[in-house]
Amino acid sequence: MALPFARSLFLCRWGAKRLGVAVAEARRGISFKLEEKTAHSSLALFRGDTGVKYGIVGLEPTKLALNVERFREWAVVLADTAVTSGRHYWEVTVKRSHQFRIGVADVDMSRDSCIGVDDRSWVFTYAQRKWHTMLANEKAPIEGMGQPEKVGLLLEYEAQKLSLVDVSRVAVVHTLQTDFRGPVVPAFALWDGELLTHSGLEVPKGL
């Protein structure tokens, strides 16, 4: 009788462990890389396509593969993984950049536009040492957030929310009410320096 009991105990422990893994995986957000074919010619990807850097000259457009997905007018790049449900969290390390935008956009937003300019993208913008929300080219100031070294973004698809997170305090600084109508992807724009993304993270406790 001892052997079946021991086996049952092992199976229970194994099942609990697998359940814990499943729960952890459910809490973990999307894992993404930046999609090179969407990157404007002034942008270069690095570190396994998880980072993007701006170059004043950039790449010669004639040397880039022709495709309709590349941003043509603005220094924008999109991630390669779309979101259609759930809560997702990722972080962005800011390196020597004093003018950038981070947020999400419709997967099929116009490649002649910039994130924050149209009404199919929702972003937080940093410029002139100040943070703003930006939607349809309208800005609103954000208080309580200084010059960043790393920031977090929390996307809650069903709740139609995108939040800017202070990673040092693990606290939401500002929340944008969104209007998602289909798949959205993490989106980035910058005009100096570098941005390095960190995805596949669990949503921090308390958020």
Side-chain angles (χ1 to χ4, degrees):
M1 295 297 293
L3 185 61
F5 175 77
R7 179 175 174 80
S8 297
L9 182 61
F10 168 79
L11 290 175
C12 287
R13 288 175 175 173
W14 180 84
K17 182 178 180 180
R18 291 303 302 165
L19 179 61
V21 170
V23 170
E25 289 178 346
R27 289 199 304 264
R28 191 168 294 121
I30 59 167
S31 181
F32 64 81
K33 292 186 176 182
L34 303 178
E35 188 72 83
E36 191 280 332
K37 64 184 179 181
T38 68
H40 184 264
S41 61
S42 65
L43 302 178
L45 306 187
F46 67 97
R47 196 168 294 185
D49 293 346
T50 61
V52 56
K53 62 178 66 176
Y54 177 81
I56 295 176
V57 177
L59 300 173
E60 174 60 42
T62 58
K63 295 182 179 179
L64 294 172
L66 294 175
N67 67 75
V68 297
E69 296 189 51
R70 190 176 304 283
F71 282 85
R72 294 176 282 273
E73 302 294 332
W74 298 84
V76 177
V77 62
L78 303 180
D80 63 358
T81 304
V83 174
T84 57
S85 64
R87 302 176 79 237
H88 304 275
Y89 176 79
W90 61 94
E91 295 178 348
V92 181
T93 296
V94 181
K95 295 185 177 182
R96 300 181 299 279
S97 184
H98 303 282
Q99 187 176 3
F100 60 88
R101 299 174 188 177
I102 54 177
V104 297
D106 280 359
V107 294
D108 59 352
M109 74 167 285
S110 171
R111 293 330 194 233
D112 293 318
S113 185
C114 184
I115 57 173
V117 172
D118 64 6
D119 64 352
R120 303 317 308 155
S121 57
W122 301 263
V123 304
F124 300 101
T125 176
Y126 183 80
Q128 299 178 336
R129 300 182 179 182
K130 295 180 180 180
W131 283 96
H132 292 81
T133 62
M134 194 169 183
L135 172 63
N137 219 22
E138 294 289 333
K139 292 183 178 181
I142 298 174
E143 303 296 336
M145 188 81 162
Q147 184 168 355
E149 292 183 359
K150 181 183 284 187
V151 295
L153 288 178
L154 175 64
L155 170 62
E156 301 173 273
Y157 192 91
E158 284 82 4
Q160 299 273 299
K161 293 179 180 180
L162 179 69
S163 299
L164 180 67
V165 177
D166 183 335
V167 299
S168 64
R169 297 186 292 119
V170 194
V172 170
V173 176
H174 191 90
T175 298
L176 264 174
Q177 194 65 45
T178 65
D179 180 27
F180 302 143
R181 302 173 191 172
V184 295
V185 290
F188 309 86
L190 71 160
W191 290 271
D192 63 358
E194 305 174 1
L195 300 178
L196 181 62
T197 65
H198 312 275
S199 63
L201 307 175
E202 290 187 15
V203 176
K205 292 181 179 180
L207 293 185

